[in-house]
Amino acid sequence: MSGPELQQLQQLQHIVIVGGGSAGWLTAAVIAAEHAALKVTVLESPDVAPIGVGEGTWPSMRDTLARIGVSETDFFRECDASFKQGSRFNAWVDGGDDDFYFHPFVVPHGYGEANLPARWRARHADQPFAGVVSFQPQLCLHGKAPKQAATPEFAAVSNYGYHLDAGKFGLFLRRHCTEVLGVRHLVDHVDAVLPQDDGDIAALQTRRNGAVRGDLFIDCSGAQSLLLGQHYGIEFLSQKHVLFNDSALALQMPYPDEHSPIASQTLSTAQAHGWIWDIGLPARRGIGYVYSGAHTGDEQAERTLHAYVRRTSPGQEVPTPRKLSFQPGYRARFWHRNCVAIGQSAGFLEPLEASALAMVELSAATLADALPANRAAMDIAARRYNDAFLYRWERVIDFLKLHYVLSRRDDTQYWRDNRRAGSIPPRLKELLTLWRHQPPSRYDLHRIEEVFPAASYQYVLYGMGFDTDYGDGRRRSDHPGLADACFRDTRALAGRMLAGLPDNRELIDHIKRHGLPVQP
């Protein structure tokens, strides 16, 4: 057997991750926790600071943190974390004063057992869909936490994710990786990529540590995509024709006092040329305006952001925001030869629905679970990985675009352009045609691990006033009586939870003082 053939069969021994931040350290943690025998190195430039803006996560983050072996109590204490139970969308439908709806994290009560949207439309169309089928909007409206002080770490009474300080989160993960999981940390510049004869990456030439060799290289270098984009030249597929936003202005606002309530959901408030996020952490709020540079200028965007902050934080000084620019899109491939891109090096769309960290989690978990034993199996793993994530990126685009397509706002060209037929992906058009006569179901989104399940599409569709016409026909599986019973149970459950759950700040303060019980 020749040397190259033997090399193909050699076991993977060393994984090198280029770039730190949330993406790099989260990926390192997931792989190191799953593969204790593997050597994992994170190579981090001393000159590249993480963006540190992505502060929203999905409930999947609870499973990820448990998987890598961290304490939820420590996480709350060190990452300025708070509970997130979904998103509230303000002014997205028509911009009126009473224009809001929820996308909660709890699936509708009775989901999959009865045709809840049809029964809601027949009997309760004067009430918000999410409030009829889920108790969670009531918890959000009243600032309630999703669990009690006696509920163990990572367990939930009401499904939840987190809001967090992204900078502190990266440091928290780095400490856990290096002190507990045995990850090697090199702070150094990458001066060159050293290829093998067959085109694989052999090593990274660094300024102080020389050549850092590895078997698999993970590109977490952010938007510069040092390995996949710059070295391999994998094409970047712009999605600017679908999702127009390419700029953001971000700032941080203190609370009026230490007892100010902490919102239990992300607030997304539509504006003339984009939307504003408002995320409540224990020590501050993170606020930012995401907008299209083709539809408005930076100065006008800053005036819009300042107006929002003055309205929601009266009497407080408004700091100068930080400008961020991005290009919505993703790479044509995410795994090429012995290089995988995760995080912004693979792609970025926009912060709506907080998909960025969730895609990092999915990428890291998929890689850790399907890690090939040797180079001979790597191309097979790469094809499967690329197929899965091409589908996932396209589905995220569909779901984000859905919010804009359904809006009836007509105050600016931005909103009118978002509804142009040419800007709507064909696959989303097909689904909207189907949903004119039947609600979204698992048959429309058929993969085992969908990024957004059919329940999420229902929350957005019917929260934004989409009309599904069921006609005169009735299906046996509609079960209207069961749907009515589910609606009654939801109301009763909301009442019990409002009475029994603490508010967000109360529980977070308790965690910081006393901690949460550990799972048995």
Side-chain angles (χ1 to χ4, degrees):
M1 189 176 290
S2 66
E5 289 174 324
L6 287 172
Q7 190 175 15
Q8 288 277 310
L9 296 176
Q10 183 177 351
Q11 293 283 317
L12 266 65
Q13 297 177 342
H14 186 197
I15 293 179
V16 178
I17 300 172
V18 180
S22 297
W25 288 110
L26 195 59
T27 301
V30 171
I31 292 175
E34 184 68 21
H35 299 275
L38 269 177
K39 180 180 178 182
V40 179
T41 296
V42 174
L43 179 55
E44 195 171 23
S45 169
D47 295 340
V48 179
I51 293 177
V53 170
E55 297 182 321
T57 77
W58 294 358
S60 56
M61 184 60 77
R62 291 178 14 234
D63 294 331
T64 299
L65 295 179
R67 178 176 185 173
I68 67 176
V70 303
S71 157
E72 190 175 30
T73 294
D74 290 343
F75 167 71
F76 269 93
R77 288 172 175 170
E78 296 185 35
C79 298
D80 198 25
S82 61
F83 295 106
K84 174 183 176 180
Q85 298 188 66
S87 296
R88 171 173 166 157
F89 292 90
N90 300 319
W92 277 80
V93 179
D94 58 22
D97 292 338
D98 59 349
D99 173 6
F100 73 91
Y101 73 95
F102 282 95
H103 174 196
F105 283 153
V106 171
V107 299
H109 182 51
Y111 173 70
E113 300 174 25
N115 191 338
L116 303 177
R119 196 59 173 170
W120 162 76
R121 183 176 183 269
R123 291 291 187 91
H124 305 284
D126 60 328
Q127 301 175 47
F129 173 75
V132 172
V133 303
S134 172
F135 62 82
Q136 202 162 37
Q138 284 296 318
L139 303 188
C140 291
L141 286 168
H142 290 84
K144 293 294 184 178
K147 61 197 295 180
Q148 296 168 314
T151 310
E153 288 194 331
F154 302 118
V157 174
S158 173
N159 197 23
Y160 68 89
Y162 308 103
H163 292 136
L164 52 84
D165 183 307
K168 292 181 179 180
F169 185 50
L171 295 175
F172 173 74
L173 291 171
R174 184 177 75 185
R175 190 158 49 248
H176 181 70
C177 282
T178 55
E179 295 178 3
V180 178
L181 297 176
V183 175
R184 180 188 182 204
H185 182 208
L186 294 180
V187 179
D188 206 342
H189 298 275
V190 175
D191 286 334
V193 179
L194 306 179
Q196 296 179 172
D197 292 341
D198 63 2
D200 278 7
I201 297 174
L204 302 176
Q205 184 65 40
T206 65
R207 197 165 300 174
R208 291 193 292 270
N209 290 274
V212 178
R213 298 189 173 275
D215 302 305
L216 180 67
F217 293 82
I218 303 177
D219 188 347
C220 294
S221 62
Q224 66 174 322
S225 194
L226 184 65
L227 304 184
L228 194 73
Q230 292 187 33
H231 175 68
Y232 279 123
I234 300 301
E235 183 185 4
F236 181 81
L237 304 178
S238 173
Q239 298 301 306
K240 189 70 183 297
H241 60 291
V242 178
L243 298 169
F244 305 149
N245 294 337
D246 59 3
S247 304
L249 295 173
L251 53 79
Q252 299 174 358
M253 287 297 296
Y255 290 105
D257 61 69
E258 61 182 6
H259 303 295
S260 297
I262 302 170
S264 296
Q265 71 285 319
T266 297
L267 299 176
S268 299
T269 303
Q271 305 293 322
H273 304 102
W275 59 276
I276 288 176
W277 79 74
D278 193 335
I279 288 176
L281 303 181
R284 60 168 174 82
R285 289 158 57 208
I287 304 172
Y289 184 20
V290 185
Y291 58 96
S292 165
H295 291 85
T296 189
D298 294 345
E299 291 183 4
Q300 178 59 50
E302 186 167 351
R303 287 194 292 270
T304 299
L305 178 60
H306 277 220
Y308 175 88
V309 174
R310 286 194 295 270
R311 186 170 66 253
T312 58
S313 302
Q316 291 184 263
E317 184 179 348
V318 183
T320 301
R322 179 162 58 117
K323 170 72 185 294
L324 304 169
S325 299
F326 56 91
Q327 288 299 318
Y330 56 88
R331 298 286 164 183
R333 292 191 299 280
F334 314 102
W335 189 334
H336 180 70
R337 302 203 67 87
N338 65 336
C339 173
V340 186
I342 294 179
Q344 283 199 70
S345 56
F348 183 78
L349 297 172
E350 65 158 279
L352 190 69
E353 295 284 8
S355 61
L357 269 179
M359 288 293 277
V360 170
E361 289 182 81
L362 269 172
S363 302
T366 301
L367 182 58
D369 293 342
L371 195 67
N374 51 41
R375 182 62 182 84
M378 193 174 291
D379 291 339
I380 299 171
R383 282 194 297 270
R384 293 159 64 93
Y385 184 96
N386 287 332
D387 174 72
F389 279 91
L390 179 63
Y391 177 86
R392 285 168 175 163
W393 280 97
E394 289 177 345
R395 283 302 182 203
V396 173
I397 291 166
D398 288 346
F399 191 68
L400 300 188
K401 186 64 174 180
L402 183 69
H403 298 65
Y404 297 98
V405 171
L406 297 178
S407 177
R408 297 194 297 271
R409 290 186 64 130
D410 201 39
D411 49 320
T412 62
Q413 193 62 41
Y414 171 85
W415 292 100
R416 292 189 287 272
D417 285 347
N418 261 299
R419 290 191 293 271
R420 278 191 295 104
S423 75
I424 306 173
R427 57 191 178 270
L428 178 58
K429 288 181 183 177
E430 289 183 354
L431 289 172
L432 288 170
T433 299
L434 286 176
W435 295 336
R436 285 295 176 192
H437 300 282
Q438 62 193 52
S441 75
R442 65 183 185 275
Y443 301 111
D444 304 322
L445 307 157
H446 57 276
R447 299 231 177 170
I448 294 173
E449 290 186 327
E450 286 287 347
V451 183
F452 294 98
S456 291
Y457 281 87
Q458 289 186 7
Y459 280 130
V460 176
L461 281 172
Y462 303 123
M464 297 192 71
F466 185 83
D467 187 16
T468 299
D469 184 0
Y470 299 96
D472 296 329
R474 292 291 182 270
R475 298 183 182 184
R476 178 175 294 179
S477 59
D478 282 354
H479 298 305
L482 176 58
D484 288 338
C486 289
F487 298 159
R488 291 193 296 270
D489 290 347
T490 296
R491 287 195 298 271
L493 189 57
R496 292 197 298 273
M497 287 196 169
L498 287 175
L501 289 170
D503 66 35
N504 226 355
R505 185 173 291 281
E506 180 184 350
L507 181 56
I508 293 167
D509 287 346
H510 173 88
I511 293 170
K512 290 182 175 180
R513 290 195 306 269
H514 306 293
L516 286 167
V518 179
Q519 291 271 17

